[in-house]
Amino acid sequence: MIEILTPAELPRARAAGALVATILQTLQGRTAVGTNLLEIDRWASEMIAEAGGVSCYVDYAPSFGRGPFGHYICTAVNDAVLHGMPHDYALRDGDLLTLDLAVSLDGLAADSAISFLVGASRPAESVALIAATERALAAGIAAAGPGARIGDLSYAIGTVLSEAGYPINLEFGGHGIGSTMHQDPHVSNDGRPGRGYRLRPGLLLALEPWVMIGTDRLVTDADGWTLRSATGSRTAHSEHTIAITEDGAEILTLAPGASA
Ligand code: MG
Ligand code: MG
């Protein structure tokens, strides 16, 4: 089912997006060398509760996972890229951390992910990797608007990733979002322009390009959730929730003070 919000519902979606963005920005600011992934999970849990939100992850139990996720945020380090389960690990200088968070507030969900380097080290390969997913996300958003098709967004995202030299895995991608976290339509991270569902005002989408250096193959950790690069190479992931409006697309999960 594809859910279309009424104009009266949009402010609630904005509030959910602002909450997710604020929590991610706060967590990034608090994260330093030595921060434990379990602390980040606890901080996320506290901020969600304080805001009156509901975690979309704690009870999430899709067919590809092993039972309910049981945590409030995904924390993926270095070669881990998707569904990173928080565990007892203290971050080191130069680690590439991805935080992925989805929260429901007043009945509407927002979903966003950021990748960043911990500490002072700035390994060039990792900087380029993160920048490519951010550019791909921006290109996908730029292609979105009323009348555009899902394939236009997929093509825009995939073109940036391919031109940056990264293989693209199509097993996991973006999605519709609204009263639940994952809905139709699926938004592949590569595709053909002019194909697929035609976007309408009131549609919410989570766009989420992610890549792994030199491979498109994933392996699953023993925890049954965390997905890693099969070769151990570094990975990055950028995600925003957007609303299709009458004249374009509005980013709902933009961090306070950030520009699109
Ligand atoms: Mg997400
Ligand atoms: Mg998502």
Side-chain angles (χ1 to χ4, degrees):
M1 188 198 84
I2 291 178
E3 193 171 85
I4 301 291
L5 298 195
T6 65
E9 289 173 307
L10 201 54
R12 285 197 288 133
R14 286 196 183 102
L19 174 62
V20 167
T22 300
I23 293 175
L24 285 178
Q25 189 183 51
T26 305
L27 292 174
Q28 181 176 3
R30 281 191 200 172
T31 298
V33 174
T35 300
N36 196 294
L37 300 180
L38 294 174
E39 279 182 282
I40 297 176
D41 189 46
R42 182 168 51 80
W43 292 334
S45 147
E46 290 167 357
M47 282 187 272
I48 293 167
E50 203 172 305
V54 177
S55 167
C56 298
Y57 291 170
V58 168
D59 299 320
Y60 185 54
S63 55
F64 59 78
R66 183 180 296 160
F69 188 66
H71 293 271
Y72 294 83
I73 192 164
C74 294
T75 57
V77 182
N78 297 335
D79 58 326
V81 60
L82 297 176
H83 315 144
M85 185 174 263
H87 58 281
D88 182 14
Y89 174 80
L91 290 161
R92 301 174 188 169
D93 189 48
D95 275 348
L96 194 168
L97 176 64
T98 296
L99 299 179
D100 189 349
L101 179 71
V103 176
S104 182
L105 186 66
D106 202 8
L108 288 175
D111 186 4
S112 181
I114 53 173
S115 288
F116 58 93
L117 287 158
V118 175
S121 294
R122 290 291 174 271
E125 208 180 40
S126 297
V127 171
L129 183 67
I130 295 168
T133 61
E134 290 175 348
R135 279 203 316 278
L137 177 57
I141 295 169
R149 289 178 179 266
I150 291 293
D152 300 333
L153 282 59
S154 296
Y155 175 75
I157 290 169
T159 299
V160 172
L161 298 178
S162 301
E163 285 178 359
Y166 300 110
I168 302 170
N169 170 303
L170 296 179
E171 290 171 81
F172 297 94
H175 49 93
I177 182 169
S179 55
T180 55
M181 168 172 60
H182 286 146
Q183 303 186 351
D184 288 335
H186 176 70
V187 189
S188 275
N189 284 330
D190 199 11
R192 297 167 69 180
R195 302 294 179 96
Y197 179 76
R198 195 183 287 280
L199 309 189
R200 291 163 51 186
L203 174 70
L204 304 188
L205 293 173
L207 306 184
E208 48 181 317
W210 58 278
V211 280
M212 308 180 280
I213 294 174
T215 185
D216 63 354
R217 219 159 57 78
L218 290 164
V219 290
T220 309
D221 271 10
D223 64 19
W225 280 95
T226 306
L227 296 174
R228 294 179 188 276
S229 153
T231 61
S233 62
R234 286 202 165 194
T235 70
H237 179 198
S238 298
E239 177 176 24
H240 271 312
T241 296
I242 64 171
I244 306 306
T245 59
E246 293 293 340
D247 51 6
E250 176 182 338
I251 305 174
L252 302 181
T253 46
L254 211 52
S259 56

